[in-house]
Amino acid sequence: MSVCWPNLPKDVKRIIVEPLCRIDRLNLRQCSWGDKLFVDLVSKPIREVNFMASRSYIIIRYDEEYEDYFGHSEGNTEVRRSKNLLPFNSFSMSEDFQIVAWRSLQKMMKSQNNEIDTLNFSFIGRLNFNEEDNEPQIIIPNLPEKTLNVRKLSIFLDSSEEMTKRIVQFAKPGLDSLNVSITVKNVNDPSEMGSLEQLKTAKKIRSNLMLTLNHSMELEGDEVINKTTLINDEGVVELLKKSLSSGKPSKFHYNRLWPDIPTIVSSFDSIAWSLETSEQFDNLGNHFKIDLSKKNFILSNDNSSLFVEFDKFSARGFILNKQ
């Protein structure tokens, strides 16, 4: 007796359907009414959410396969939704488009038990409107009541620091990756976000927040891109010494406008990079693209060494060995 799809037990069908992508599920659900109902009952976790906000609309994409559009239209909200790669379903609501969009995100995250692999926020344009412009004011994010268990969190472009802080605070500490690349209004004011556990404990962090030296020293990540402008030459020395003594970060990039290279290098046992030196570290190319036009050094302290590249804007490099 041959085995065919209609005769398979539901438990076996579930095992087959669960790993399928949504395109394959769409094809299967079109085979018959019974298959449509079964496929719709077998949930598939959402892995990535992209939340994109502008002056007049918000788009939320889930795994690049679902898309929700919320548009501002004379005080009402135009909603367009596409699910399972089907055509858009359109309707209107009398509420503000931002409230509707944040509520929709909250509902989706709740359906995923507030667990997600990747969550990206991008804010485009001048979102903090003036009242005289007769434009809606940006609202504080209406995020889930429970903290989010997210592996990778990114916040881009014109997000205010207040909004960015609210979003970051809703993620549990211990992120695999945290990327905060927002518009900074005043590069002289230290960020209020510097003390957040989410920044301190992220394994990989990219930040252009104005972090103080103390907050920069508290970052525990293995890879750190720290673009604060509040670090001087002595601060760079302290951060490099931290990598040598603790092994973290093992890969780093620190902003420093016109670093005083002799002052920084003199705090370590140093070797200027050369072709002869490169023969001793023939595996460097696997870690770092070396620009020979820049100032490169091997800096050592006790039994540990760093490769550091200086240019007129930064000091960056990685640990060569840690014993």
Side-chain angles (χ1 to χ4, degrees), residues 152 204 296:
K152 301 175 183 178
K204 183 177 181 179
N296 303 307

Side-chain angles (χ1 to χ4, degrees), residues 1-252:
M1 175 179 165
S2 61
V3 178
C4 57
W5 177 258
N7 296 329
L8 290 176
K10 287 187 176 180
D11 290 344
V12 177
K13 286 185 176 181
R14 181 179 294 275
I15 293 173
I16 296 172
V17 170
E18 280 183 341
L20 294 180
C21 69
R22 289 191 172 86
I23 294 177
D24 292 334
R25 289 180 178 220
L26 176 60
N27 293 332
L28 180 58
R29 73 196 294 275
Q30 291 175 336
C31 293
S32 70
W33 178 252
D35 286 333
K36 175 184 182 301
L37 294 177
F38 181 78
V39 171
D40 290 345
L41 285 173
V42 180
S43 62
K44 183 176 177 65
I46 292 173
R47 296 189 178 277
E48 181 173 350
V49 175
N50 288 281
F51 186 100
M52 296 161 283
S54 74
R55 290 172 61 93
S56 57
Y57 65 85
I58 291 174
I59 295 175
I60 310 177
R61 292 192 180 127
Y62 306 96
D63 287 341
E64 298 297 332
E65 296 173 10
Y66 291 2
E67 179 174 307
D68 291 352
Y69 168 92
F70 307 90
H72 172 65
S73 178
E74 298 180 354
N76 294 323
T77 296
E78 176 190 2
V79 182
R80 298 203 302 263
R81 284 179 167 161
S82 174
K83 296 185 178 181
N84 292 319
L85 302 179
L86 296 174
F88 279 104
N89 176 33
S90 302
F91 56 94
S92 296
M93 301 181 67
S94 59
E95 296 179 89
D96 180 85
F97 78 103
Q98 299 176 65
I99 295 175
V100 177
W102 284 109
R103 187 171 64 222
S104 177
L105 176 66
Q106 183 185 61
K107 182 178 179 180
M108 178 58 75
M109 294 305 301
K110 186 176 182 180
S111 74
Q112 303 298 305
N113 295 317
N114 287 333
E115 295 185 9
I116 197 77
D117 183 83
T118 303
L119 185 56
N120 302 318
F121 290 88
S122 56
F123 300 88
I124 305 169
R126 186 169 53 86
L127 296 180
N128 292 317
F129 305 111
N130 295 322
E131 292 183 4
E132 57 267 24
D133 292 337
N134 294 319
E135 293 282 0
Q137 294 287 327
I138 192 70
I139 64 172
I140 296 298
N142 184 21
L143 289 165
E145 297 176 0
K146 297 181 180 179
T147 54
L148 299 175
N149 186 5
V150 56
R151 290 182 58 242
K152 301 175 183 178
L153 176 62
S154 297
I155 306 165
F156 301 107
L157 304 175
D158 293 323
S159 177
S160 67
E161 184 157 323
E162 178 186 13
M163 180 178 294
T164 302
K165 184 177 181 180
R166 286 288 302 272
I167 294 173
V168 172
Q169 283 179 316
F170 271 92
K172 290 183 178 179
L175 292 157
D176 284 354
S177 174
L178 176 60
N179 185 345
V180 179
S181 300
I182 64 174
T183 301
V184 177
K185 292 183 177 180
N186 193 332
V187 297
N188 297 314
D189 290 343
S191 171
E192 296 181 359
M193 296 177 59
S195 59
L196 292 182
E197 285 297 312
Q198 289 83 351
L199 265 72
K200 294 180 183 179
T201 60
K203 297 175 183 176
K204 183 177 181 179
I205 183 167
R206 181 186 183 95
S207 164
N208 68 339
L209 298 171
M210 295 300 103
L211 302 180
T212 64
L213 175 60
N214 287 339
H215 287 145
S216 297
M217 291 287 288
E218 291 176 346
L219 298 178
E220 301 172 7
D222 293 317
E223 294 187 25
V224 172
I225 298 177
N226 183 358
K227 294 192 173 183
T228 180
T229 60
L230 302 182
I231 298 176
N232 57 20
D233 294 322
E234 290 74 17
V236 172
V237 169
E238 292 303 311
L239 290 167
L240 296 179
K241 286 182 177 179
K242 177 193 170 188
S243 285
L244 285 170
S245 62
S246 70
K248 291 187 176 182
S250 60
K251 190 174 182 179
F252 50 84

